[in-house]
Amino acid sequence: MSQATTPPSTGRRRETVIVFALSLAAMVVSMMQTLPVPILGLIRADLGTSTAGVSWVTTATLLSAAVFTPLLGRFGDQHGKKPTLVGVLVVMVVGSVIAALATSLPLLILGRVLEGSATAIFPLALSVLREEVRPEKLPGAMSLVSGTLAFGSGLALVATGLLTSGPDADYRSAFWMATGLAALALLAVVLLVPATRHKTGGRTDFLGALTLGVTLLLLLLPISQGHEWGWTSARTLGCFAGAAVMTAVWVLTELKVSEPLVDMRMFVHRPVLMANLAGILVGFGMFANFLGISYLVQMPKALTGYGFDASILRASVQYLLPGAIVSLLASPIGGQLVRHRGPRTALTLAAALGALGFGWLALGHGHTASVIGAGIVIGAAVSFGYAAMPAVIMASVPHHQSGIANGINSISRSTGSAIGSAVVTTILASKTIEHLPVGVPALPAESGFTLTFWIGATAFALVAVISGYGLRGGHGPLTAPVTASATTPATEKATEPAA
């Protein structure tokens, strides 16, 4: 029976299982980003590496995501979303197994690189939703899938804390958990997600992918390693300079290629550009919240005069989990807000809540209830922001560019998260308590946390500026150029699979 003749109830059930499968896949991939954060110390001790060396366990995933997400997003647009989704999930399962079995740092980093490539799942999932979900239900479906990103990031911290809370904790249990979840997501996609309808075909722009990948590597590497290298070191400044040069090379490459990886008109189209800027700021806020609260509550109050002497487990469950749960619960509300009031309203509310939450943290982080309450408010803000950005992009680009457009937005959020991690780490390392007992390692001063939270509030205030002015006015959808590879309605109908 074709979809056109499918009874409404069956269509609704089909949409529900598709959204479930894609939400599970998106949640699992978001967990990969933060999963090793609580266990970096265990990994360093077990593998006998340095602090600088173990930092590559998180950096490798970020760089891999930056390189592969746009390429795989475009590949899915051209050759089919479901096959690409399945392939990426298989790679994530393999990467998780390698990470769990690794007995050396290079092997663990290899597993994390493979896990990072799975970040392409998110833009691919949104492209599938655009094909399979009715227009009136699409904002809610996209918001639910987007909401799992913030939830998954928080859930990974909690789950890792639970698995490594014992005296004989083994960090590998976290990667075995990741393997099981990745396999479950793979099974769900294989069984529940239908075959791709829209395929543009065409050649893959490998030169554009290579130049974009090098550009992102040169940009994100110093952001993630700047604290270890020194922000004014030759390596850091050289990478930033190289990123600027490679950006120009990438743009020139894409302007000359007949079938570019990224259509420059789409890249600079005002709604898309504003959504990407918002993605950087919201991603920054999400990580500033996670890391700021996690480090704050673990501070020994007897030595610092602030903090709550929390263990990693208590920090995750008591202080971070409530915000993660609220971010998931807020996602369907964000979808309804996008549907009835538009993404600009949702983004404005996200900005207001985020600024309020971080301001609350800056002024009232001396009380447990305040820290938890502010984290909940920020969790809702991130969820509303993640609901708004895909809606802006989907309304602004044609079908055949939805994968790459959402892939670039995913990179913008990852970039913001990397910047957030770097800023928090640098601030807390630069503002330390001067007089501590002999033998006690340096601990951050309370003013470092206060500054971090005010910077988070400023980031969400800038989101309000983007929503209020950057998305104001009639900036309609980008009209796709008529090419042989563009999918026409007739072609879409002809390639529609049987349900």
Side-chain angles (χ1 to χ4, degrees):
M1 181 182 291
S2 69
Q3 188 179 21
T5 59
T6 300
S9 60
T10 304
R12 285 194 292 271
R13 286 197 298 270
R14 185 171 184 242
E15 288 176 351
T16 300
V17 296
I18 292 171
V19 172
F20 166 77
L22 296 176
S23 296
L24 177 62
M27 183 193 75
V28 172
V29 74
S30 68
M31 292 180 70
M32 301 301 170
Q33 300 288 331
T34 56
L35 183 141
V37 171
I39 54 175
L40 290 177
L42 291 176
I43 295 173
R44 183 180 67 245
D46 186 84
L47 298 182
T49 185
S50 64
T51 300
V54 80
S55 69
W56 283 95
V57 174
T58 54
T59 301
T61 306
L62 171 68
L63 298 180
S64 174
V67 172
F68 286 105
T69 297
L71 177 62
L72 294 174
R74 180 62 171 155
F75 189 87
D77 286 338
Q78 290 179 318
H79 305 292
K81 281 92 173 175
K82 181 173 181 178
T84 309
L85 271 172
V86 171
V88 168
L89 283 165
V90 168
V91 170
M92 182 164 64
V93 171
V94 173
S96 299
V97 171
I98 291 175
L101 294 175
T103 55
S104 66
L105 184 62
L107 199 58
L108 177 57
I109 290 174
L110 172 62
R112 293 291 291 161
V113 166
L114 295 178
E115 287 181 337
S117 67
T119 306
I121 286 173
F122 178 65
L124 290 167
L126 294 183
S127 296
V128 172
L129 291 179
R130 189 174 188 177
E131 293 183 9
E132 299 296 334
V133 177
R134 290 165 292 167
E136 66 271 19
K137 297 296 183 182
L138 185 58
M142 288 195 304
S143 298
L144 186 60
V145 173
S146 300
T148 60
L149 295 177
F151 175 70
S153 297
L155 181 63
L157 297 173
V158 175
T160 301
L162 287 169
L163 289 172
T164 58
S165 59
D168 299 320
D170 184 357
Y171 75 85
R172 291 176 177 81
S173 59
F175 290 113
W176 283 122
M177 175 192 69
T179 302
L181 289 173
L184 182 62
L186 172 62
L187 185 64
V189 168
V190 169
L191 296 178
L192 303 178
V193 175
T196 302
R197 297 184 192 181
H198 302 280
K199 296 181 185 179
T200 65
R203 293 177 297 179
T204 302
D205 177 20
F206 288 108
L207 183 59
L210 176 63
T211 52
L212 177 58
V214 173
T215 300
L216 293 169
L217 282 172
L218 290 173
L219 174 64
L220 293 174
L221 188 57
I223 290 175
S224 59
Q225 293 292 308
H227 177 66
E228 295 289 340
W229 292 351
W231 291 106
T232 58
S233 69
R235 277 191 292 182
T236 300
L237 298 178
C239 282
F240 281 130
V245 172
M246 284 305 302
T247 298
V249 172
W250 170 60
V251 171
L252 290 174
T253 299
E254 296 300 82
L255 290 175
K256 293 182 177 295
V257 174
S258 58
E259 295 182 41
L261 176 71
V262 178
D263 181 350
M264 284 295 122
R265 293 190 316 136
M266 175 203 72
F267 192 71
V268 300
H269 187 45
R270 187 166 178 178
V272 176
L273 181 61
M274 291 298 108
N276 289 335
L277 290 175
I280 292 174
L281 294 167
V282 175
F284 175 95
M286 184 179 76
F287 252 64
N289 174 52
F290 281 150
L291 296 181
I293 289 180
S294 180
Y295 291 156
L296 171 73
V297 301
Q298 292 181 63
M299 288 297 106
K301 191 168 186 177
L303 293 175
T304 62
Y306 70 94
F308 302 96
D309 299 287
S311 64
I312 292 177
L313 177 61
R314 183 180 162 212
S316 300
V317 174
Q318 182 177 354
Y319 293 94
L320 296 179
L321 183 57
I325 292 174
V326 167
S327 68
L328 183 64
L329 297 177
S331 58
I333 300 174
Q336 291 300 312
L337 193 62
V338 168
R339 178 184 175 188
H340 295 292
R341 301 299 297 272
R344 187 180 169 202
T345 300
L347 197 59
T348 300
L349 182 57
L353 289 174
L356 173 63
F358 273 111
W360 188 1
L361 275 176
L363 297 172
H365 55 259
H367 306 282
T368 295
S370 291
V371 174
I372 295 173
I376 286 173
V377 172
I378 295 170
V382 171
S383 187
F384 287 156
Y386 279 4
M389 287 179 281
V392 171
I393 289 172
M394 289 298 198
S396 305
V397 302
H399 259 297
H400 70 281
Q401 290 185 347
S402 59
I404 182 63
N406 279 296
I408 298 245
N409 188 249
S410 181
I411 291 173
S412 75
R413 291 193 301 275
S414 295
T415 301
S417 297
I419 295 172
S421 178
V423 167
V424 172
T425 302
T426 301
I427 289 176
L428 297 184
S430 63
K431 292 181 174 293
T432 57
I433 298 173
E434 294 183 0
H435 303 292
L436 287 171
V438 177
V440 176
L443 293 172
E446 186 176 7
S447 60
F449 289 100
T450 303
L451 178 59
T452 295
F453 297 142
W454 280 125
I455 292 175
T458 302
F460 275 99
L462 292 175
V463 174
V465 174
I466 289 173
S467 177
Y469 298 97
L471 296 178
R472 174 183 289 180
H475 302 283
L478 176 67
T479 303
V482 180
T483 66
S485 64
T487 306
T488 64
T491 305
E492 293 169 10
K493 184 68 176 177
T495 60
E496 181 176 330

